[in-house]
Amino acid sequence: MQAHWHDLSGPGLATCAERDPVAVLVLGAIEQHGAHLPLSTDLDIGLGLQEAMLQALASRHATTDVLCLPALAVGASDEHISFSGTLSLPAPLVIATLEAYGDSLARAGIKRLMLLNSHGGNKAVMDIAALTLRRRHAMWVAKTTYTRLSPPVDLLPTNEWRHGLHGGAVETAMMLHLAPEKVAMQHAGNFAFSGERGTSQGGRLGLEGQASLAWLAEDLTPEGLAGNATLASAELGRRLVAHYAAALADVVVELASIRLPAR
């Protein structure tokens, strides 16, 4: 069974909860992505990956019950607030919101939650809220950021995987596949980030290195972007979405199989 929370009736939701589903909550963001991508990029990618994940589960004839929650569209985007269009909630408010979602799930009798995150700035708040829900409700919470999943490295140059952090080939390609009408490729460029010397020379310190720096979007490039968007194509986006959707489907199946703890 696959369902969306807001499409069900109250009794229908109660019946769904009895089946011990995996609830899925997309964590997105509304923030600047340059002139070639819309402010909704992270949200569009998160919702697109969720839909592709559901299709992947259906194609496997998986019996896992999945209940999709209304997405959290605006996240913690403090690193982008210097750029016009960015909406950002304070981290404590995002944490409290995630905990409130979990409290509502627990009241409905649901004990498994997958956080499907498509925005890097949400990772810290997700970690804190997930631990609170584990302790408060004995809820299993899978913290899943798609960029942390193993990438299909053969599809892009190594340097793009390492430095294409924001508005580069990956995000642009997935948007060309998921919402091409929102992409203005005439404004796409190679937003080359040269400041991450440690990682580029094999060191440990970098923006997303073994030892990571706190960074603002303006630390990346004057445009607040990093990556070569000109490498993007709809076909690349299709392959990326399929790859990450399959991995996310694996997470759902694994989360559904974990034995619930006694309380």
Side-chain angles (χ1 to χ4, degrees):
M1 180 211 70
Q2 296 180 358
H4 288 76
W5 181 286
H6 44 285
D7 290 336
L8 298 173
S9 65
L13 179 61
T15 299
C16 177
E18 292 174 356
R19 298 170 63 95
D20 190 20
V22 172
V24 178
L25 173 59
V26 170
L27 308 185
I30 304 298
E31 62 183 29
Q32 69 89 19
H33 277 78
H36 66 297
L37 291 175
L39 299 169
S40 63
T41 292
D42 288 341
L43 179 61
D44 291 339
I45 289 174
L47 291 171
L49 288 175
Q50 176 179 257
E51 180 60 30
M53 177 194 74
L54 295 176
Q55 294 174 7
L57 288 168
S59 68
R60 299 179 189 181
H61 304 289
T63 58
T64 306
D65 291 303
V66 181
L67 179 60
C68 297
L69 295 160
L72 186 62
V74 179
S77 297
D78 279 1
E79 68 273 26
H80 297 286
I81 58 175
S82 296
F83 292 84
S84 177
T86 297
L87 299 177
S88 182
L89 298 177
L93 180 56
V94 181
I95 293 168
T97 301
L98 293 176
E99 291 174 0
Y101 264 86
D103 293 343
S104 295
L105 289 173
R107 287 194 297 271
I110 294 170
K111 292 290 189 178
R112 306 175 196 270
L113 171 62
M114 175 183 177
L115 299 175
L116 198 172
N117 180 38
S118 53
H119 166 55
N122 288 333
K123 289 184 286 190
V125 295
M126 178 174 66
D127 286 344
I128 294 170
L131 182 58
T132 298
L133 295 175
R134 181 76 187 95
R135 174 181 53 80
R136 183 183 294 170
H137 299 300
M139 182 178 291
W140 287 122
V141 183
K143 305 171 294 180
T144 313
T145 301
Y146 82 87
T147 55
R148 285 184 167 175
L149 299 170
S150 298
V153 293
D154 58 314
L155 296 186
L156 285 168
T158 300
N159 193 60
E160 185 65 17
W161 289 116
R162 182 177 295 162
H163 298 302
L165 302 177
H166 191 65
V170 172
E171 288 187 317
T172 304
M174 287 199 287
M175 286 297 291
L176 283 171
H177 171 62
L178 295 169
E181 71 283 359
K182 294 185 177 184
V183 182
M185 281 301 287
Q186 68 271 24
H187 297 304
N190 183 5
F191 308 101
F193 174 58
S194 60
E196 199 172 355
R197 295 184 181 90
T199 299
S200 64
Q201 296 175 5
R204 298 187 187 279
L205 180 62
L207 297 188
E208 298 293 335
Q210 297 176 47
S212 58
L213 291 163
W215 56 268
L216 301 172
E218 53 265 39
D219 297 329
L220 302 176
T221 58
E223 301 88 356
L225 306 172
N228 189 354
T230 66
L231 297 175
S233 67
E235 174 57 19
L236 173 61
R238 183 193 66 77
R239 295 175 70 181
L240 288 169
V241 168
H243 172 86
Y244 288 123
L248 291 167
D250 290 340
V251 174
V252 168
V253 172
E254 292 170 19
L255 180 57
S257 69
I258 295 178
R259 180 177 300 177
L260 292 173
R263 277 294 290 264

